[in-house]
Amino acid sequence: AECDVPIALYSYSFASADRHYETFLGQKAVLDYIREVSDKYRVTEHIRYGANVEGLSFDEDSCIWNVRVSGGGKYRARFVISAVGQLHHPKIPDFPGANQFQGEAFHTARFGSRNIDHFVGKRVAVIGNGASGIQIIPPLQKVCKELHVYQRTPSYIFPKVRLSRAEEKIIADFPIVRRAAREFLRMFAEGALYAAIKGEAWAQFALKKVCDMNRSKVKDPEKRDKLHPRYPVGAKRTLFSDDFYPAVDKSNVFLHEDGIKEICEMGIVNSDGSRIEVDTIIYATGFITNPLLHGMTVTGRSDKVLWKNEKGMRAYLGVATSGFPNLFFLYGPHTNTGHASVIDFLEPQSDFVTNAMYHVKEHGYKSIEVKESAENEFLNHVEQVA
C-alpha cells in the first residue's frame, strides 16, 4: 500500500524525509521515517510497549493524574497528553454470520506481516473503498484470481501528481526547494480542496472535472457509472490515486454496490441473494472515532466522566476541555480534515500544549484548564462555519 498524502506534507517540518526521493511513500518507507525521527529525537527510549491505558482519574488535592495501565500498572503524572489519534480502533460491521466464515478475515489495520504474495491465486473480497480500500485494491488485483469490491458510496478520486526521479531528487536535496514544495501543497489544500469543502462553485467545478477525467480510465461503462459519485465535491474526503481506476477496470475485479445480506461459511451473500465464494475477506471499513478515547474511562474534577453526558465530543481548539485540568489532546475533537495532512497541524497543536505546560511551571501553578465559557464560544464558532 502507498500513502495518499505527498511526503512533503506527510512529514515534520523540522525533520524532512530528505533521503526518501519518492513523492508518495509506501508503508515500509513511512515506518522507516517514523523510526528515524523517533530515534533521532530520543523518543524511542521513553516508549513503554504493550502498555494499554485503561483509565485516567484526576486527584483534585494534588492536581495529579492517576493512570491505570493493563496488567495492573499504575503511573502518576502532572500532565497527560492523549496522542492516540482517531484512526487506531478498527470498525468492523456486525454482519450476520460473520463468525461462521471458514476463510481468513481481517481489518486493513491488522494486515500484519502478510505481503502481497500471500494472496496469489486467491479469491478476495474487500469491503469498503475509502482511503484504505483504494490503497490495497490495486496491488491485490495484480495477484488475485478474483477480487470482489464492495462499495457503499463512491468517492471523488483525484489523480496523484508524479514527479520524475530527477525532480524528486532536487526537492529532497535542496532544503529551500523542499520548503517551497511543502508550501505549494499546503496552498493547494487550503485553496482548492478547502474551497470545495466550503461549497465554493469554482472549486467544486474544477475538482469535479479533474476527478471525472481520472475516472474516465475505467473503460467498462457499467463499472464507470457505479464509481460516479452523486454528491457535491467536498461533501466527503477527496481521495488520491492513479492506479485504483485501472485496477477496478480489470476483468478479475467485480464491483458490488447492492449491499451485504450476510456472511456464510464459504463467503458472502449479497442483498439480492447471490452468493460469492471467497478465501479471504478484508475489511476496509474505517475506525471507531467516537468516543475518541475508546476503551478508556477518564474521570476529571468532581468525578466528571469525559464526554459521558455530552451530545458529542467537545474540546477547545481540539486540545482541551473544561473539567479536565492538565489533560490535552492531539488530533482531538473537531480537528479531522478532509483536505490536508494531519501531521501538518499536529505541530502547532504540540506547540500549544507545550506552551501551556511551560506556563504552569514558570508561574508555579499546579494546573491549567480551559474555561467553559471559552470552550462554548469556540464550539459555537465551529457550528457557525461548519
Side-chain angles (χ1 to χ4, degrees), residues 33-252:
Y33 170 75
I34 293 172
R35 286 172 171 164
E36 290 166 9
V37 175
S38 182
D39 289 343
K40 179 179 179 180
Y41 291 93
R42 301 182 62 185
V43 174
T44 308
E45 61 193 72
H46 298 287
I47 299 176
R48 288 165 172 76
Y49 296 97
N52 183 47
V53 176
E54 297 179 337
L56 307 169
S57 60
F58 186 69
D59 185 326
E60 294 188 56
D61 293 331
S62 62
C63 292
I64 293 290
W65 280 98
N66 294 301
V67 183
R68 188 176 74 256
V69 180
S70 58
K74 295 181 179 180
Y75 299 91
R76 287 171 60 82
R78 175 72 65 189
F79 301 98
V80 172
I81 303 171
S82 167
V84 298
Q86 301 183 26
L87 308 177
H88 59 292
H89 285 293
K91 183 178 182 180
I92 299 179
D94 187 19
F95 291 119
N99 58 349
Q100 301 177 18
F101 181 58
Q102 298 299 304
E104 180 183 43
F106 59 91
H107 191 276
T108 51
R110 299 291 183 263
F111 219 86
S113 60
R114 302 176 183 87
N115 58 39
I116 200 64
D117 293 337
H118 177 80
F119 304 96
V120 172
K122 291 187 177 182
R123 301 165 300 174
V124 177
V126 175
I127 301 176
N129 67 334
S132 298
I134 69 168
Q135 292 180 49
I136 65 170
I137 287 170
L140 285 172
Q141 178 275 319
K142 294 178 181 179
V143 300
C144 290
K145 179 182 179 181
E146 295 179 7
L147 181 59
H148 296 267
V149 178
Y150 284 82
Q151 80 166 15
R152 181 172 56 183
T153 308
S155 299
Y156 283 102
I157 302 178
F158 205 83
K160 288 181 175 179
V161 178
R162 301 278 183 180
L163 301 178
S164 69
R165 190 70 172 179
E167 291 169 330
E168 290 175 336
K169 191 174 187 306
I170 290 173
I171 292 176
D173 289 346
F174 295 93
I176 189 171
V177 179
R178 193 164 60 237
R179 289 194 295 270
R182 184 183 180 95
E183 287 305 313
F184 173 79
L185 290 170
R186 183 185 287 115
M187 289 172 60
F188 172 74
E190 294 294 337
L193 294 181
Y194 186 50
I197 292 174
K198 292 192 296 182
E200 296 189 20
W202 69 268
Q204 290 189 340
F205 176 81
L207 294 183
K208 184 178 185 302
K209 285 296 183 182
V210 174
C211 291
D212 287 346
M213 290 178 60
N214 195 27
R215 195 175 67 256
S216 68
K217 296 174 182 176
V218 180
K219 304 307 178 184
D220 184 318
E222 183 178 350
K223 287 182 178 178
R224 187 169 63 249
D225 184 66
K226 288 181 178 180
L227 293 166
H228 182 196
R230 311 295 181 182
Y231 53 86
V233 180
K236 290 180 59 179
R237 180 187 173 193
T238 302
L239 306 179
F240 291 80
S241 177
D242 49 9
D243 54 4
F244 171 74
Y245 286 136
V248 174
D249 200 34
K250 301 298 183 182
S251 59
N252 66 329

Side-chain angles (χ1 to χ4, degrees), residues 246-263:
V248 174
D249 200 34
K250 301 298 183 182
S251 59
N252 66 329
V253 178
F254 304 89
L255 189 59
H256 306 272
E257 62 175 358
D258 295 329
I260 295 174
K261 180 180 179 181
E262 62 180 340
I263 294 177

